[in-house]
Structures are given as structure tokens and as C-alpha cells.
Amino acid sequence: MNFDSKKKTTSSTAILPDDVILEILLRLDAKSLMRFKCVCKSWKSLISHSVFINLHRKHQLPYTIFANSLEPSEILSISHSKNFNKISELRFPLVDFKSIEGSDNGILCLSGDNDTIYLWNPAINQVRKLSSPPISGFRLGFGYSTMTKDFKVVAVEQFKLFDIPKHIEGRLIKNIGKLSERLALYTYEGFTPGPKHYPIFQIWVMKEYGISTSWIKHLKIKLPSSSAIEDPRSQFSNNGDLGFTNDGCILISSAKGLHLYDPKNKLIRHLRRQTMGGFICFHDYAENIFQIEE
């Protein structure tokens, strides 16, 4: 299992061939791998190797993560599986968490009180506090540089304004985010006629980033009838909010809790009963055993 060797070898004490053990380890969750470092020196060396870490990350199921605006320290994650049957909660171990500023390679960049910046790996619960920048009132950019093999946090001092699509001027924009690697926004259009008034939304996508004339209407959504949302007019008017996963499904916040709508099959699913005020900080996330260096 030595990545530096071109020959496949089998340990004399191993029951299974090394390549089989490798394939098994690559499919384990991060917490299990951290425990298995204690099995033997060869496993510790293997699991700590950068090649193994990258291969392991590629085997992990991607998630969409977001924070609850009523309780920002509560970070929720939803798996990008066909059934979206897994929702879990992540709790940042420190108390001054305010917002998720970015996510890359399994590491989250978080902002806290007094312009504090943290890097956090939820899979292994490792936190590193960074030095605060010499400016205030900034927004952060975060990512992993393949050239330097390190993470970079960039404070933004300038912002660029984009014009919204002309067809939606005066309408309510419910949320903005990323859809299929493109800038996207949701607009509220009103309610369907009839005894049950269900909300209508539109998704707009910017085909060319930064080009305001490239906005196109991606999808018009009429939410279907659902026992999970019995009175959509009052619920969406009062505290409803929308967010979207990177593969096009829609998260809906209402007085009934958290719901997920899949536009492909036009089905809505109740995910969580607890009340949410809305969504903040949508990012993609996948587990990684990468350890943040000091």
C-alpha cells in the first residue's frame, strides 16, 4: 500500500491483498479512518498520505450545507443522493460562529465575532483560528490552491454590481446562489388561483458570469399540493424562504419546518419538523480527512 512503490505488494501479516485493503479504506467515513490510523504503522502512513487523502475525498458523497437563520450555529447538510433521504446536523464547537464564508476540499471557512476567521474540518472536528485581517466590514473568499497545495482566504474590499433581469424588476427576489456552477436567483411570482393557493417561483440563471444581458429564465415552478404544507399562503408570506442545492432541487422553509422539492418529478418531501427562519450560506461540501496545518 505504499504509493511510492510501483509494485503491488502484500503484507505477510495481512489476510487480504493490499490493493483490496486500499479499496475498502477508501470507502470508509472520515471518523472510522482516523480510528484505523491506530491499527498499525503502515495503515497510519497510508491514511496520512496525500494521494490517499485525495482519492478518499473523491469517493465521498457530496452534500449541500446551509445554516439556519434562527440559529446560525446549526449547520445542516443534505446529501446529493437520488432520494435525498439523509439530513444531518453539524455543530461548530465554538460559540461565536456567525456565517459560512466558503467550503473547499472538506474544509469550511467560518466568520465569527470581531471579524474572527476559522477554518474547520467537521469530519475530524479540527479547528484553526486565523489572524483577523486589518480591515473590517469585509466579505471573504475561500478556496484551495493546487499550485501551493494550501488554502487561501481572501478579504474582498470592492464589489461589482450586476443588473437583474429586466423582466423581474419590482418582483421579490427570495434567494441567490449557485446552480450548475452558474449564478442563479429565485423570484417570487405569486400564488396559483383556486381554493388552495400554492406559490409560484421562477429560477433565473446567468449564462456568462458578469454579463447582465446573459440572464435567462431557467425554470418556472408551481409547488404542488402537499400535506406537509397545508396553508402555503400564510406560511410563505410570513416566514417562507427558498434555497437550492447544486443539482437543482429546492429547499423550502415554512412554519411546518423544512421541505425539499424536486422539479424533475414534481414531488415535495418533508425533511425536518423544527421551525426555520430561512437559509443562509449555501455551499457544497464533501468529507475529507485533510488536517489543517498550523
Side-chain angles (χ1 to χ4, degrees):
M1 291 184 289
N2 186 352
F3 285 106
D4 296 328
S5 175
K6 296 182 180 179
K7 296 182 180 180
K8 291 185 178 180
T9 61
T10 303
S11 173
S12 59
T13 59
I15 300 176
L16 298 175
D18 284 352
D19 55 350
V20 175
I21 293 176
L22 173 62
E23 290 300 319
I24 294 174
L25 292 177
L26 287 174
R27 286 160 174 77
L28 295 178
D29 62 276
K31 291 182 179 179
S32 297
L33 283 177
M34 298 307 289
R35 292 198 301 267
F36 288 169
K37 276 187 172 183
C38 302
V39 171
C40 60
K41 291 182 179 180
S42 62
W43 280 29
K44 180 179 180 181
S45 176
L46 170 68
I47 295 171
S48 303
H49 200 288
S50 59
V51 175
F52 178 90
I53 292 174
N54 290 329
L55 289 174
H56 177 261
R57 179 177 56 84
K58 294 178 181 178
H59 281 82
Q60 301 310 298
L61 186 68
Y63 291 81
T64 292
I65 61 170
F66 53 94
N68 182 355
S69 62
L70 289 181
E71 191 177 356
S73 62
E74 177 186 62
I75 302 174
L76 302 177
S77 65
I78 294 183
S79 63
H80 290 199
S81 64
K82 292 182 179 180
N83 297 323
F84 282 89
N85 56 1
K86 183 178 181 181
I87 180 169
S88 56
E89 299 180 8
L90 306 173
R91 287 282 180 175
F92 185 57
L94 303 180
V95 296
D96 65 338
F97 163 69
K98 293 194 305 184
S99 179
I100 309 172
E101 302 293 343
S103 171
D104 199 358
N105 272 19
I107 306 298
L108 303 183
C109 179
L110 310 177
S111 59
D113 297 332
N114 301 317
D115 296 329
T116 307
I117 302 172
Y118 299 98
L119 298 185
W120 179 39
N121 185 337
I124 60 176
N125 203 26
Q126 182 192 20
V127 180
R128 177 186 172 189
K129 182 179 178 180
L130 303 182
S131 301
S132 300
I135 57 175
S136 59
F138 55 85
R139 291 302 303 270
L140 297 177
F142 174 72
Y144 181 78
S145 172
T146 55
M147 295 183 64
T148 61
K149 296 184 179 180
D150 198 4
F151 293 93
K152 291 185 179 294
V153 180
V154 180
V156 180
E157 295 186 41
Q158 294 183 345
F159 295 87
K160 182 178 180 180
L161 298 178
F162 295 147
D163 291 329
I164 62 174
K166 294 183 179 180
H167 299 84
I168 67 171
E169 291 181 357
R171 296 180 184 174
L172 178 62
I173 298 177
K174 294 292 291 185
N175 214 328
I176 189 168
K178 184 176 65 172
L179 181 63
S180 299
E181 300 303 319
R182 289 177 175 173
L183 184 66
L185 56 85
Y186 274 121
T187 60
Y188 166 69
E189 302 294 315
F191 289 92
T192 59
K196 285 286 188 178
H197 300 281
Y198 289 91
I200 303 173
F201 301 94
Q202 288 185 350
I203 302 177
W204 292 79
V205 174
M206 182 178 276
K207 292 183 66 177
E208 298 181 46
Y209 183 75
I211 308 299
S212 298
T213 56
S214 68
W215 284 109
I216 61 170
K217 184 165 65 175
H218 176 71
L219 186 64
K220 185 175 182 179
I221 302 167
K222 296 180 181 179
L223 290 181
S225 174
S226 170
S227 59
I229 307 177
E230 297 175 355
D231 187 6
R233 177 183 287 274
S234 61
Q235 291 182 25
F236 281 91
S237 298
N238 293 335
N239 70 341
D241 199 2
L242 290 178
F244 41 101
T245 65
N246 197 33
D247 51 0
C249 287
I250 301 163
L251 289 164
I252 306 164
S253 168
S254 78
K256 291 285 185 177
L258 179 64
H259 322 276
L260 183 105
Y261 174 65
D262 187 346
K264 295 179 181 178
N265 55 32
K266 297 184 179 179
L267 294 177
I268 191 166
R269 177 176 301 180
H270 188 58
L271 295 178
R272 186 173 184 262
R273 295 185 181 277
Q274 290 94 327
T275 302
M276 294 187 62
F279 308 118
I280 53 176
C281 321
F282 273 81
H283 294 281
D284 288 334
Y285 166 77
E287 276 196 352
N288 198 338
I289 57 173
F290 185 93
Q291 294 196 339
I292 310 167
E293 296 182 358
E294 297 292 336

